[in-house]
Amino acid sequence: MIISHRNLLNKETIGRIITEINAIPFLREDYFVLIDIRKAIIELDSDEIADLSNFVYDQLDHRLQKFAILSPNAHLSKTVQFVRNYKHSSKYQVFTTLEPLLNWLKVPQSRKYQIQIKLDYFNQSS
């Protein structure tokens, strides 16, 4: 699953994203999430990040194989803090570039161009 978020990223928007993911009936326990927040506006303090990471973990952990976050350097410290709050950090990782993210998800590099096109499209659409 590929998600791109380019607006305000806060408790409410993350809650909506998780609700939408949980509503997809065909997701099995072996699904992977790539979320691109390179264009998001993050307005979360440390306490909100800790609460939110617990919420996401509780909502997704039973069905999720891996959760990869593509984050720009400007958001990196907040995103890493978000991931460190998870109970199983081996399921959740932060990346600033697509290549290592795809390696971690075990997606062939030959699919990088196709995934980059989708991310670019998502980041441009309204």
Side-chain angles (χ1 to χ4, degrees):
M1 172 179 301
I2 298 174
I3 300 168
S4 179
H5 192 80
R6 59 187 186 100
N7 297 312
L8 180 64
L9 193 60
N10 58 23
K11 287 175 97 170
E12 292 78 27
T13 56
I14 292 175
R16 278 197 304 270
I17 291 169
I18 299 304
T19 300
E20 290 172 10
I21 290 172
N22 281 332
I24 300 171
F26 61 85
L27 291 179
R28 298 180 314 264
E29 289 187 21
D30 61 347
Y31 79 95
F32 300 87
V33 172
L34 183 169
I35 184 164
D36 180 359
I37 61 166
R38 291 177 292 178
K39 301 218 181 221
I41 302 162
I42 299 177
E43 290 187 359
L44 298 166
D45 62 30
S46 294
D47 291 337
E48 289 174 319
I49 289 171
D51 290 344
L52 205 48
S53 64
N54 286 327
F55 169 75
V56 172
Y57 175 83
D58 291 341
Q59 295 296 311
L60 294 181
D61 188 61
H62 62 285
R63 297 169 48 197
L64 180 67
Q65 190 74 13
K66 287 187 176 181
F67 189 99
I69 302 170
L70 190 56
S71 175
N73 287 331
H75 296 324
L76 195 57
S77 63
K78 284 189 176 187
T79 312
V80 168
Q81 182 183 3
F82 184 78
V83 170
R84 283 188 181 147
N85 284 295
Y86 284 112
K87 295 168 180 68
H88 296 295
S89 63
S90 61
K91 282 189 174 187
Y92 306 90
Q93 295 293 323
V94 179
F95 302 89
T96 56
T97 58
L98 196 54
E99 293 85 1
L101 183 149
L102 295 176
N103 282 332
W104 185 69
L105 291 177
K106 297 191 180 356
V107 174
Q109 289 295 315
S110 60
R111 302 228 17 232
K112 177 186 171 196
Y113 181 70
Q114 180 184 24
I115 291 169
Q116 187 62 59
I117 287 173
K118 288 179 183 178
L119 289 172
D120 290 345
Y121 174 77
F122 292 151
N123 281 321
Q124 292 175 7
S125 62
S126 51

